[in-house]
């Protein structure tokens, strides 16, 4: 039995304060929270200045989520509460300067919470942790680049290096990052997509020929039905609530599918609408299905059964554009609704009632996030969702389609410009034509494989472009131990995080400009570009003074590493210095490499940017192996354990991914605590557990169990046998080897967990 020896948050000494979950999202509490966090971090003038430029045509893209902005127009405040917090967090007045790093040893910092680390502010200059030292100390940029280049060229194989990427990286920086990796000779380009939406990419590419969504923001206004499944928009994509509200006003029905009834899917009080603010707000979901964890595939099978049995099929679309319908029809008609009812926890009568409503829709959108993608059967589940949509011809027509909602603000763009451990042959050919380098064809490591490689000694240098790898990855202890075995770890970051405290023999922290900050190169002011969840590429231009005179941009950091490598290897001809000074040249290379970016530098000057090609959406063209949209037949599966609880990880309303803004979860009524486990009240009685009790959670590995101690119990409206805990604190309980079939995504939303009263 192995204990959680390195908890992400020190054990909390007091139970959290609990109140009833809220019945409406946003409204006055959101304005108060936004003002409090903004003023506390930025002050009055900077708050007004920075928030006025969020998602503005002449401003910067919100460093939060990837939800799209309206085409061709912007509202007075085109941001949400959590977007404002992301801006304030980056533009904070606090500084983690040399005084900070000289005060605390790495060991002492490792005992601090993630919330405390983040609150220390912006890192002001490059730092190094040398062998045997307990302190990070300042280092020059050139010396940093030399250390990285020396360690890279010392490797026996380029595949001993790992180039990780976070989703906030711009198109320009991401393209240069993959160029650096492939110029060095490896496709080891794991990224945060591997941990979240990799399942979407695998499933959709096979089903419809593109790994992205097929809807635009305007489609929400013409939909008959929108199904939001495995997603909590009120916390993770708050601006989506505006689209759902408007869809309801236009007559659409909204169905929410989730083990938790989230506040944002109940009612929404738009902060810019006084009537809603002081009134009841707008109803969002007109139906909520409180399903058991990981029963979504079964649920959508029942929806398909309703459509087929009702005869409300788009037979012309099925005949002209799809393959595999007959086999799928036979499979669906042989499905037993009583078995689906048992899996989902939804009564057979309710399944029939909802199925009748769904089968009458003429235009349906299905939205999902990580509540769908992080299970063992995620690829099969997503393909079941696509099957359901294909029955009604709901691909490539107004008001209909698939809508995987990405988290990080440019995670989709990073993948588009080459951050992919499994690059296509066409991309590799395009890269050779545009840059002259001959990139490797052999697939590289994804995030899980990278941890295994570092653990075994097959990878020795880990470089991270943004992110917080230790906190974001599953199996925290195993991930930490793997990183500590490296000879060099490098983190390109803006603020202190957990990953900085788990270094290789040498650790480097390279602080970069944030999305909100002015980027001036020797030839003038630069801007970057990003791609949102719906395939729109647009510009982002920082407007604030940099936090330190020593900060440089991500493209400049990548180019600095590339330039140092050029002096140690046979020269490649890549003009790293020119690329770091003029991002137009980077965009020229992207244009020459990737179809869809024609006239990139010209088209990006349009206020709202431009749409990338999306064949299924644009003209019902499916670039699959058979040039058709494919029905896939999978056996229905659902994780279960007779003697365990099924755990899903969730985010609080006071965090964004691994960044913890505060210790409250306002919508769920939880304050001043994160080390909590949400449980059904009947489960509490059956297990002789009371509200506020401390329990230990355990999960099994092949040879041992891992125990995470001292979690406070919170009674909550969640199906029996299901529990929920906050990410990233509970990542220690997710086995590294527990992954989705074929996408290799950690199963963070369905982990069998044992619960016992705390032993201390």
């Amino acid at each position: 039995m192995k204990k959680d020896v390195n908890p992400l948050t020190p054990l909390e000494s007091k139970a959290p304060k609990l109140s009833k979950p809220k019945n409406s999202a946003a409204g006055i509490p959101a304005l108060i929270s936004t003002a409090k966090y903004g003023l506390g971090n930025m002050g009055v003038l900077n708050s007004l200045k920075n928030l006025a430029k969020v998602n503005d045509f002449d401003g910067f893209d919100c460093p939060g989520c990837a939800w799209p902005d309206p085409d061709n127009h912007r509202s007075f405040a085109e941001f949400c509460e959590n977007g404002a917090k992301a801006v304030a967090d980056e533009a904070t007045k606090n500084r983690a300067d040399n005084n900070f790093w000289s005060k605390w040893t790495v060991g002492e910092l490792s005992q601090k919470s993630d919330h405390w680390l983040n609150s220390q502010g912006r890192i002001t200059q490059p730092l190094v942790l040398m062998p045997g030292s307990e302190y990070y100390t300042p280092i020059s940029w050139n010396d940093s680049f030399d250390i990285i280049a020396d360690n890279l060229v010392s490797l026996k194989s380029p595949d001993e290096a790992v180039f990780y990427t976070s989703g906030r990286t711009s198109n320009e920086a991401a393209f240069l990052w993959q160029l650096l990796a492939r110029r060095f000779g490896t496709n080891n380009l794991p990224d945060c997509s591997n941990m979240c939406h990799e399942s979407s990419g695998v499933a959709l590419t096979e089903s419809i020929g593109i790994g992205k969504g097929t809807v635009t923001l305007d489609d929400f206004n013409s939909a008959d039905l929108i199904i939001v499944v495995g997603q909590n928009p009120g916390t993770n994509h708050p601006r989506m609530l505006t689209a759902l509200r408007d869809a309801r006003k236009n007559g659409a029905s909204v169905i929410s599918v989730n083990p938790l009834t989230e506040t944002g899917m109940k009612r929404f009080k738009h902060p810019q609408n006084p009537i809603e603010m002081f009134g009841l707000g707008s109803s969002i979901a007109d139906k909520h299905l409180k399903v058991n964890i990981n029963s979504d595939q079964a649920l959508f099978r029942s929806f398909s059964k309703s459509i087929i049995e009702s005869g409300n099929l788009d037979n012309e679309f099925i005949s002209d554009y799809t393959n595999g319908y007959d086999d799928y029809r036979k499979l669906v008609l042989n499905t037993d609704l009583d078995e689906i009812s048992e899996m989902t926890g939804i009564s057979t009568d309710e399944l029939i009632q909802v199925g009748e409503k769904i089968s009458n829709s003429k235009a349906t959108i299905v939205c999902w996030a990580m509540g769908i993608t992080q299970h063992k059967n995620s690829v099969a589940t997503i393909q079941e969702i696509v099957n359901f949509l294909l029955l009604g011809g709901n691909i490539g027509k107004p008001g209909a389609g698939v809508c995987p909602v990405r988290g990080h603000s440019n995670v989709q763009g990073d993948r588009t410009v080459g951050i992919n451990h499994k690059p296509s042959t066409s991309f590799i050919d395009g890269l050779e034509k545009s840059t002259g380098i001959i990139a490797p064809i052999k697939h590289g490591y994804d995030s899980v494989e990278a941890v295994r490689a570092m653990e075994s000694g097959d990878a020795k240098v880990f470089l991270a472009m943004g992110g917080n790898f230790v906190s974001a990855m599953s199996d925290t202890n195993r991930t930490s131990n793997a990183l500590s075995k490296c000879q060099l770890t490098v983190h390109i970051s803006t603020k202190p995080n957990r990953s900085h405290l788990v270094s290789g023999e040498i650790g480097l922290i390279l602080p970069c400009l944030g999305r909100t900050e002015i980027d001036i190169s020797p030839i003038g002011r630069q801007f970057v570009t990003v791609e949102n969840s719906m395939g729109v590429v647009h510009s982002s231009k920082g407007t604030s003074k940099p936090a330190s005179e020593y900060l440089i941009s991500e493209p400049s950091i990548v180019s600095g590493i590339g330039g140092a490598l050029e002096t140690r290897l046979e020269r490649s001809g890549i003009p790293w210095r020119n690329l770091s000074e003029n991002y137009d040249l980077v965009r020229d290379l992207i244009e020459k490499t990737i179809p869809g970016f024609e006239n990139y530098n010209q088209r990006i000057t349009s206020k709202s940017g431009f749409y990338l090609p999306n064949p299924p959406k644009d003209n019902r063209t499916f670039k699959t192996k058979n040039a058709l949209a494919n029905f896939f037949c999978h056996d229905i599966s659902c994780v279960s354990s007779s003697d365990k609880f099924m755990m899903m990880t969730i985010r609080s309303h006071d965090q964004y991914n691994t960044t913890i803004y505060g210790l409250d979860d306002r919508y769920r009524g939880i304050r001043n605590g994160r080390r909590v486990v949400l449980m059904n009240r009947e489960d509490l009685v059956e297990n002789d557990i009371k509200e506020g009790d401390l329990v230990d959670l355990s999960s099994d590995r092949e040879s041992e169990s891992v125990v995470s101690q001292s979690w406070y119990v919170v009674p909550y409206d969640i199906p029996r046998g299901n529990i929920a805990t906050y990410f990233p604190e509970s990542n220690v309980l997710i086995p590294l080897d527990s992954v989705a079939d074929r996408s290799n995504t950690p199963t963070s939303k369905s982990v069998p967990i044992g619960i016992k009263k705390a032993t201390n």
Side-chain angles (χ1 to χ4, degrees):
M1 187 79 68
K2 185 176 181 180
K3 291 188 176 181
D4 173 6
V5 296
N6 182 30
L8 288 181
T9 304
L11 302 186
E12 295 167 358
S13 59
K14 295 182 180 179
K17 297 179 181 179
L18 305 180
S19 59
K20 290 183 179 180
K22 304 300 181 183
N23 288 317
S24 62
I28 293 175
L31 290 179
I32 294 173
S33 178
T34 298
K36 182 178 178 181
Y37 199 83
L39 294 176
N41 279 275
M42 298 185 291
V44 176
L45 293 179
N46 283 336
S47 292
L48 295 173
K49 177 182 176 182
N50 285 320
L51 294 180
K53 288 297 183 179
V54 184
N55 296 324
D56 186 71
F57 286 131
D58 193 38
F60 54 86
D61 187 63
C62 178
C65 78
W67 188 253
D69 309 311
D71 289 343
N72 303 317
H73 70 89
R74 295 291 184 269
S75 65
F76 169 71
E78 195 64 60
F79 58 86
C80 65
E81 174 188 351
N82 276 6
K85 287 180 179 177
V87 171
D89 193 69
E90 180 173 287
T92 179
K93 298 176 292 184
N94 297 335
R95 298 288 181 266
D97 56 18
N98 295 337
N99 291 330
F100 169 81
W101 296 102
S102 64
K103 178 180 179 180
W104 302 97
T105 67
V106 170
E108 290 170 337
L109 290 173
S110 69
Q111 300 305 308
K112 302 293 186 180
S113 71
D114 284 24
H115 174 229
W116 185 91
L117 288 171
N118 180 69
S119 68
Q120 301 311 299
R122 295 289 297 277
I123 304 169
T124 57
Q125 70 180 82
L127 300 160
V128 64
L129 182 67
M130 296 300 292
S133 175
E134 295 184 343
Y135 294 89
Y136 273 100
T137 56
I139 185 174
S140 71
W141 281 108
N142 286 337
D143 287 346
S144 298
F145 298 148
D146 285 340
I147 287 176
I148 296 170
D150 286 340
N151 275 270
L152 287 174
V153 299
S154 74
L155 300 175
K156 294 179 181 179
S157 164
D159 288 330
E160 291 184 336
V162 173
F163 295 78
Y164 174 75
T165 318
S166 165
R168 288 187 183 180
T169 306
S170 68
N171 286 344
E172 291 75 13
F175 183 83
L176 291 178
W177 191 242
Q178 65 80 31
L179 181 61
L180 174 66
R182 294 185 168 114
R183 180 266 179 273
F184 184 59
T186 185
N187 282 318
N188 288 344
L189 284 157
D191 73 318
C192 57
S193 289
N194 302 148
M195 306 174 195
C196 52
H197 266 288
E198 193 72 39
S199 298
S200 298
V202 171
L204 293 174
T205 298
E206 291 181 346
S207 291
I208 60 174
I210 191 170
K212 302 178 181 182
T214 64
V215 300
T216 68
L217 200 54
D218 286 342
D219 283 317
F220 281 74
N221 294 322
S222 51
D224 284 347
L225 172 67
I226 302 168
I227 303 176
V228 180
V229 53
Q231 183 190 2
N232 178 15
T235 286
N236 298 318
H237 314 93
R239 286 192 300 149
M240 181 179 175
L241 296 181
T242 300
L244 294 175
R245 178 202 66 166
D246 293 346
R248 284 297 306 275
K249 289 183 176 181
N250 288 328
S253 176
V254 176
I255 296 177
S256 170
V257 181
N258 200 311
L260 301 176
T261 307
E262 301 287 15
T263 298
M265 295 305 296
K266 297 178 185 177
R267 303 194 73 84
F268 171 54
K269 296 184 177 182
H270 199 296
Q272 296 182 38
N273 187 315
I275 296 176
E276 290 190 19
M277 282 273 288
F278 295 99
L280 295 176
S282 297
S283 175
I284 300 299
D286 51 340
K287 183 69 177 178
H288 178 76
L289 296 175
K290 191 172 66 176
V291 295
N292 287 318
I293 289 173
N294 189 228
S295 63
D296 309 280
Q297 182 197 14
L299 182 70
F300 275 88
R301 179 67 59 83
S302 78
F303 294 166
S304 291
K305 185 177 178 71
S306 295
I307 292 175
I308 291 174
E309 290 182 342
S310 71
N312 290 331
L313 301 162
D314 188 333
N315 290 302
E316 183 178 354
F317 175 85
I318 292 172
S319 174
D320 293 348
Y321 294 103
T322 74
N323 171 68
Y325 168 68
D326 289 339
D327 288 340
Y328 182 66
R329 180 179 185 276
K330 187 183 301 183
L331 179 69
V332 170
L333 291 179
N334 287 330
T335 300
D336 187 337
L337 278 187
D338 290 336
E339 291 181 4
I340 290 179
S341 175
E342 184 175 351
M343 288 182 181
T344 60
I346 308 299
S347 71
T348 302
D349 287 344
E350 188 169 14
L351 289 174
I352 293 172
Q353 179 187 23
V354 175
E356 289 176 353
K357 180 177 183 178
I358 284 174
S359 65
N360 290 322
S361 171
K362 302 301 182 184
T364 302
I365 296 172
V366 181
C367 308
W368 70 85
M370 287 180 286
I372 293 296
T373 63
Q374 294 180 324
H375 303 279
K376 181 174 173 56
N377 63 348
S378 286
V379 172
T381 297
I382 294 166
Q383 290 183 334
E384 192 70 41
I385 292 172
V386 176
N387 291 344
F388 158 74
L389 288 169
L390 293 178
L391 293 174
N394 286 301
I395 301 289
K397 71 178 182 182
V402 295
C403 182
V405 183
R406 314 289 178 169
H408 282 297
S409 61
N410 195 42
V411 65
Q412 186 160 296
D414 289 353
R415 181 59 61 91
T416 297
V417 301
I419 300 298
N420 194 336
H421 62 290
K422 295 181 178 180
S424 66
T425 301
S426 61
F427 179 85
I428 294 299
D429 291 344
L431 194 65
E432 181 178 354
K433 290 177 182 177
S434 64
T435 66
I437 69 167
I438 301 176
I441 299 175
K442 175 187 173 184
H443 290 171
Y445 299 135
D446 63 19
S447 292
V448 170
E449 292 163 344
V451 173
R452 292 183 185 137
M454 291 185 286
E455 189 176 50
S456 65
D458 292 328
K460 297 180 173 64
V461 173
F462 177 84
L463 304 99
M465 172 71 82
N468 182 356
F469 190 73
V470 167
S471 292
M473 262 303 293
S474 57
D475 219 331
T476 309
N477 289 335
R478 193 168 169 185
T479 297
S480 299
N481 290 335
L483 282 167
S484 67
K485 291 183 178 181
C486 290
Q487 67 185 48
L488 174 68
T489 50
V490 181
H491 296 280
I492 301 171
S493 306
T494 57
K495 305 181 75 177
N497 66 50
R498 182 69 48 186
S499 296
H500 302 153
L501 312 179
V502 186
S503 75
E505 186 177 355
I506 299 175
L508 282 171
I509 304 174
L510 306 182
C512 62
L513 293 173
R515 184 79 62 80
T516 62
E517 292 172 319
I518 297 171
D519 181 0
I520 298 181
S521 79
I523 70 165
R525 187 171 177 178
Q526 302 296 309
F527 69 89
V528 295
T529 60
V530 296
E531 177 187 347
N532 65 35
S533 267
M534 295 179 183
V536 179
V537 179
H538 60 95
S539 64
S540 177
K541 184 185 296 183
T543 57
S544 297
K545 180 182 177 181
S548 165
E549 62 180 313
Y550 299 108
L551 302 184
I552 61 177
S553 69
E554 288 176 321
S556 296
I557 293 173
V558 183
S559 296
I561 299 170
L565 265 180
E566 295 293 330
T567 65
R568 292 160 172 81
L569 300 173
E570 182 178 347
R571 292 190 176 273
S572 66
I574 298 172
W576 291 108
R577 182 173 179 177
N578 291 342
L579 294 172
S580 72
E581 294 180 353
N582 186 353
Y583 301 170
D584 282 355
L585 300 179
V586 183
R587 289 186 281 272
D588 285 340
L589 289 180
I590 295 174
E591 176 183 335
K592 294 175 182 177
T593 305
I594 305 165
F597 285 91
E598 292 78 14
N599 300 314
Y600 195 174
N601 278 308
Q602 290 72 40
R603 286 197 291 162
I604 203 61
T605 59
S606 169
K607 283 186 175 182
S608 54
F610 60 90
Y611 281 91
L612 289 172
N614 190 306
K617 177 188 70 177
D618 297 339
N619 50 31
R620 286 185 164 175
T621 299
F622 302 97
K623 295 189 175 182
T624 58
K625 291 181 179 180
N626 56 15
L628 294 168
N630 290 292
F631 287 92
F632 281 92
C633 295
H634 299 286
D635 292 335
I636 296 176
S637 61
C638 182
V639 293
S640 62
S641 178
S642 58
D643 62 340
K644 301 277 188 181
F645 289 87
M646 198 56 58
M647 181 185 80
M648 59 185 284
T649 62
I650 59 177
R651 286 152 179 74
S652 80
H653 192 64
D654 226 358
Q655 74 177 100
Y656 188 75
N657 292 335
T658 60
T659 303
I660 312 300
Y661 301 134
L663 301 179
D664 296 342
D665 194 349
R666 187 174 75 245
Y667 290 164
R668 297 191 183 106
I670 301 170
R671 293 187 178 275
N672 198 35
R674 291 186 51 82
R675 206 169 177 84
V676 298
V677 52
L678 279 56
M679 294 183 66
N680 181 284
R681 289 184 182 275
E682 293 181 40
D683 286 335
L684 296 185
V685 173
E686 185 174 300
N687 289 272
D688 192 28
I689 298 173
K690 297 181 178 61
E691 175 183 315
D693 279 355
L694 282 172
V695 296
D696 296 339
L697 308 181
S698 62
S699 67
D700 294 333
R701 309 294 192 271
E702 287 187 3
S703 59
E704 63 183 2
S705 292
V706 169
V707 176
S708 187
Q709 296 177 309
S710 301
W711 293 76
Y712 289 100
V713 172
V714 174
Y716 210 80
D717 184 17
I718 186 171
R720 290 205 65 180
N722 295 198
I723 62 173
T725 56
Y726 289 134
F727 160 102
E729 286 82 356
S730 56
N731 281 5
V732 68
L733 294 164
I734 303 166
L736 185 72
D737 299 322
S738 181
V739 295
D741 294 337
R742 301 179 53 232
S743 70
N744 220 35
T745 298
T747 60
S748 304
K749 297 296 184 183
S750 50
V751 186
I753 294 292
I755 299 179
K756 291 184 179 181
K757 284 190 175 181
T759 56
N760 57 0

